[in-house]
Amino acid sequence: MTAAFCDWLSAVIQAYSEFSSKVKTFSVLMILMFPFFPVFLESPPAAMSRNGYFFEESGYLKCDMDDGCETKEETGGEELFDAVNNTVVSGDSIRFFVNVNLEVPLNAADENESAGCVLLHTSRKYLKLKNFEEEVRAHRDLDGFLARASIILDETATSLDDVLREMLKHFAEDPENMEPSCNFEKIMSTLFTDSGTPREGNGTHDVSDSTGANIQTCTSHLKFHLLSDTIQGVTATVTGVQYQQSWLCIICTIKSLQRRHVCISRLERPQNWGENSCEVRFVILVLAPPKMKSTKTATEVGRTFATMFSDITFRQKLLETKTEEEFKEALVHQRHLLTVVNQRPSISDGHKSHGSKPLKLHEFLNVGKGISDDIARRFPVYALDFTDGIIGNNKAIGKYITTMIFLYFACLLPSIAFGSLNDENTGGVIDVQKTIVGQCIGGLLYALFSGQPLVVLLTTAPLALYINVIRGICDDYNLDFSAFYAWIGLWNSFFLVMYSLFNFSLLMKLFKRSTEEIIALFISITFVLDAFKGIIKVFKKYYYSGRTGESYLEKAPTDAIPSLGINTTFLMNSSVSRSMSLENQTGTHDVHYGRETAVLSLMLMLGTLWLGHTLYQFKKSPYLHARVREILSDCALPISVLTFSAVGSYIFKEIEMSKFNYNPSESLFVLAPVQSLSIGSVMSAMGLGFLLSMLFFIEQNIVASLTNAPENRLVKGTAYHWDLLLVALINTGLSVFGLPWIHAAFPHSPMHVRALAYVEERVESGHIYETIVSVKETRLTSLVANFLVGLSLLLLPFPLQWIPKPVLYGLFLYIALTSIDGNQLFERVALLLKEQTAYPPTHYIRRVPQRKIHYFTGLQVLQLLILCGFGMSPLPYMKMIFPLIMIGMIPIRYNLLPRIIEAKYLDAMDAEH
């Protein structure tokens, strides 16, 4: 039995040897026949593709940086098989794969494992199809290509490497595309992920077959080089993503290039280069230097041509072309089709909530309809304004507390600053105390009954200018200031009531985004000028003509330093202005007030600005916990004000600082003697009241529009007409009691929204920008903040008077600096100082030619200068008419600018996205 088993085992071994010899002979035949495979495998069956012959993980309109490589521990052949199954590979690699996939000896597997595994990072990014109707760069990319077209028709090369070499050779031979410092061999290696890695050995290893013959295989073939960056069209289906397999766009960034290059190659026969590129007929190669404008990068150029090639009808038409001229004509025709298909009505102004329909007369004659619509829209969610963030799952009590603190200081400090200014201008008739009382009452009423409680009411710099002009008129014509002020306020409220009843807020749809941003930037500039005017006054008082230097010079004997040839005036000024040392020695004065007061004031102003803005930006830093960073950012304003108030009033308490005046009023609520004025004075007050109503109407509606901007993602609706009526009623009461007027304040209202918002950072083309995810729409923050402002009356004169005026000036600079965040006009002005590679990929950069952008920016700056010329004129009566200049910007935008810049470009720059 043992002998029989041995005979059976010998037969099995012999049969296995014969089978193995046949298999290895088949392997040799496969190697010899492989160059002819493309002829037989132009459209391989799906099963072959799925089993791992070739695979591409290239992009989408999908930009891809591929690919995955799994490590198999069983055999080297499986490792190589897996690598090929995850990328587009070269022809050389395919040949090696076919041989090794059939049989690889164990020693080859051991050598491959000893070479070590590599890691491959895969990144997929979906790209939008290029909009040829809106994005001007799409046409310019094609025009640039047609001007120096690099087209290869009926390319006979079969491997990807050979096709790319022919395309690069075409570049090199074309005199228009010459790159003097360009190494095309280096470009070839950069197209693949193994660029810069040493290829293994010039040696070979043997694979023995049963006949004893050795098949030498170059070990350099063991390195599969994979395409680095590609774009490919995909379509979402029920079963997954379906690739467009007949074209491939390869993009690459090369440092040595001087300009962008595009080459299109049409292959003679379909080529199988991967699982998702089984029948490639078109190859698009895009090369570009690294430092390019965001709309001129290799990816953007590739997106242009990939969008065109995503149309199957267009690809079929290209296959039928015979010459390069016909090929170009097909490209031009496809561009025309894409432009026509994407055409739609002019880009609507997404910044408005009033809609885009033209205004009709009957809309203004329907009395009270806007108010009733506002109430119907907001009243159902009125209760939610008190409960959101307090009751339920999404609580935001911490954010509410930090916002209340911020809003308290944001309302109190301007009230002190402008109250002090009104005190100086009116001789104490309107002082800090009355300003705080008016802010408290008006703010509480508006927070309780307004349609949009996120809007913040304040007395502002333009209102302080108006009050100053009114005081001058009263002095010139011997009028009672309180009575004249009350009549102007009553006429102002009357006109505002008329505007709200007859739905005049619908006119705000005529104010485009660009006009609003001009006015917003004007308000920011007024804050800056107020701060600098204040600090200049301090320097004039203490640095250049300080009373210490003058008094000492008057007291100092001229013969104190006789005939020494020394500039005694210089010595006296320097010693006195330094510290008043002589007076301190005699005990006559123990407080320094000279040049050190001016220098310390400047330091306090700039320190308040620096600390506030640093903390405001602290949420973007990597330090501390995210919640701590958010709290510090929300409380940047109070922290900076309190810190430098302590520095100025306590640490340097021996230096006298400029503080606001405080004269306690005997009675805060005294009715103005409105009956004391003549009919002529009342009629003149009507004209001033009309001009004032124009200011209120524009400021109230523009600030409300900026607050309700789409990017803020508010969901409870607007109430322009009702809010305007409420502001009129509030200011009626303020006028008759001699309290300062208030209206919607910029930038406090958008900053209030920002404080209640949940923000996240996003990255687009290397540029980081913030976007609001949601906002807690509540009345509680305004209610509590204005209530605390009222309680601040108990803090007068101390400790509120410990806040130096320079700190208030720093507050103005902080408000101005933070308000320009997101102002598109300011961003476009900044583009003039930037190189093109730093331009952000905004919607207007994509849709509008660069020259048109700069023209538009220049025209906006011109309008801003005109507005500043009237609003900041030293002539008092010029300041009264600057609201009419704001109204005059409407015909400029609709009638003048379209004659200079095409309307579609104007609409694109006025759009939000």
Side-chain angles (χ1 to χ4, degrees), residues 574-591:
S574 61
S575 61
V576 172
S577 62
R578 186 166 55 246
S579 64
M580 289 290 293
S581 57
L582 293 178
E583 290 191 17
N584 287 337
Q585 290 174 4
T586 59
T588 59
H589 208 287
D590 58 354
V591 177

Side-chain angles (χ1 to χ4, degrees), residues 246-435:
S246 61
W247 63 276
L248 183 65
C249 181
I250 304 170
I251 60 179
C252 186
T253 299
I254 307 295
K255 292 182 179 180
S256 58
L257 292 181
Q258 301 296 321
R259 63 184 182 184
R260 299 170 299 159
H261 300 277
V262 180
C263 182
I264 300 177
S265 177
R266 186 183 70 186
L267 307 183
E268 185 178 23
R269 294 183 178 85
Q271 300 299 325
N272 190 334
W273 289 337
E275 181 179 357
N276 297 310
S277 299
C278 293
E279 47 184 14
V280 178
R281 289 300 302 272
F282 299 97
V283 178
I284 307 152
L285 178 61
V286 179
L287 305 177
K291 290 189 175 182
M292 296 294 293
K293 186 180 175 182
S294 60
T295 56
K296 297 181 181 180
T297 60
T299 301
E300 287 298 316
V301 177
R303 193 164 70 96
T304 298
F305 289 94
T307 301
M308 302 179 73
F309 275 83
S310 62
D311 185 354
I312 188 173
T313 306
F314 170 65
R315 298 197 299 271
Q316 185 62 36
K317 188 173 182 179
L318 289 181
L319 291 175
E320 298 171 359
T321 58
K322 304 298 183 182
T323 64
E324 286 192 17
E325 291 301 321
E326 293 180 2
F327 199 95
K328 293 179 183 179
E329 291 176 1
L331 289 171
V332 174
H333 181 67
Q334 178 66 6
R335 171 174 64 180
H336 173 71
L337 292 179
L338 288 173
T339 305
V340 172
V341 168
N342 288 322
Q343 275 185 350
R344 57 178 183 267
S346 180
I347 304 170
S348 62
D349 187 359
H351 191 58
K352 300 295 178 191
S353 58
H354 294 296
S356 56
K357 296 181 180 179
L359 295 175
K360 297 180 180 179
L361 180 60
H362 70 84
E363 295 182 81
F364 299 100
L365 299 179
N366 198 347
V367 180
K369 185 177 185 303
I371 296 174
S372 61
D373 289 345
D374 290 342
I375 294 175
R377 185 186 305 114
R378 289 291 304 190
F379 185 72
V381 295
Y382 183 78
L384 296 177
D385 291 339
F386 294 92
T387 59
D388 282 353
I390 302 296
I391 300 175
N393 296 327
N394 298 322
K395 294 183 179 180
I397 298 176
K399 181 170 283 293
Y400 283 4
I401 293 175
T402 56
T403 304
M404 290 171 188
I405 297 173
F406 152 75
L407 197 58
Y408 165 66
F409 281 90
C411 292
L412 175 65
L413 298 180
S415 298
I416 294 175
F418 292 121
S420 177
L421 182 60
N422 289 331
D423 189 13
E424 296 175 4
N425 293 335
T426 63
V429 178
I430 300 177
D431 57 8
V432 173
Q433 198 172 7
K434 286 189 175 182
T435 305

Side-chain angles (χ1 to χ4, degrees), residues 754-771:
R754 191 77 173 199
L756 290 170
Y758 291 95
V759 181
E760 67 179 24
E761 288 187 349
R762 295 178 182 175
V763 180
E764 182 179 353
S765 301
H767 294 266
I768 302 176
Y769 66 97
E770 291 184 342
T771 181

Side-chain angles (χ1 to χ4, degrees), residues 378 381-382 384-386 407 443-457 707-708 714 716-719 722-723 726 749 752-753 756 776-783 786:
R378 289 291 304 190
V381 295
Y382 183 78
L384 296 177
D385 291 339
F386 294 92
L407 197 58
L444 287 175
L445 291 175
Y446 192 83
L448 282 173
F449 302 111
S450 66
Q452 181 48 273
L454 297 184
V455 172
V456 178
L457 298 191
T707 302
N708 292 299
L714 304 183
K716 293 184 179 180
T718 61
W722 166 249
D723 286 350
L726 182 60
S749 300
H752 185 201
V753 175
L756 290 170
K776 290 295 182 182
E777 301 179 53
T778 180
R779 298 178 185 271
L780 297 178
T781 51
S782 293
L783 275 172
N786 285 286

Side-chain angles (χ1 to χ4, degrees), residues 534-648:
I535 202 67
I536 288 173
K537 286 182 180 179
V538 172
F539 267 74
K540 285 182 177 179
K541 180 179 180 181
Y542 294 104
Y543 194 87
Y544 294 108
S545 59
R547 61 191 180 109
T548 57
E550 293 175 355
S551 61
Y552 181 75
L553 287 175
E554 292 172 358
K555 296 177 183 178
T558 57
D559 57 346
I561 310 177
S563 64
L564 291 180
I566 300 175
N567 190 335
T568 57
T569 303
F570 170 76
L571 292 177
M572 294 173 186
N573 274 324
S574 61
S575 61
V576 172
S577 62
R578 186 166 55 246
S579 64
M580 289 290 293
S581 57
L582 293 178
E583 290 191 17
N584 287 337
Q585 290 174 4
T586 59
T588 59
H589 208 287
D590 58 354
V591 177
H592 305 289
Y593 53 102
R595 291 188 171 185
E596 53 271 85
T597 298
V599 173
L600 181 60
S601 298
L602 180 63
M603 299 299 292
L604 291 179
M605 182 185 75
L606 297 179
T608 304
L609 170 64
W610 168 79
L611 181 60
H613 190 260
T614 301
L615 292 179
Y616 179 74
Q617 298 290 335
F618 193 72
K619 57 187 174 185
K620 300 179 181 179
S621 71
Y623 303 107
L624 305 181
H625 189 269
R627 181 56 183 160
V628 177
R629 295 198 301 265
E630 184 179 2
I631 292 174
L632 289 175
S633 179
D634 291 342
C635 296
L637 176 61
I639 291 175
S640 60
V641 169
L642 293 176
T643 299
F644 282 93
S645 295
V647 170

Side-chain angles (χ1 to χ4, degrees), residues 96-154:
F96 174 71
F97 157 70
V98 174
N99 177 42
V100 176
N101 188 45
L102 294 173
E103 182 174 352
V104 177
L106 291 177
N107 60 347
D110 293 340
E111 287 182 20
N112 188 56
E113 288 181 2
S114 65
C117 174
V118 295
L119 301 178
L120 193 64
H121 174 236
T122 302
S123 177
R124 297 181 180 87
K125 181 175 65 175
Y126 286 92
L127 303 176
K128 293 181 180 179
L129 292 171
K130 207 148 200 175
N131 190 321
F132 275 70
E133 196 273 330
E134 292 183 359
E135 299 189 54
V136 294
R137 181 49 58 182
H139 297 272
R140 296 190 175 187
D141 289 341
L142 184 57
D143 291 338
F145 172 75
L146 295 175
R148 49 180 189 274
S150 182
I151 301 173
I152 303 176
L153 300 180
D154 300 326

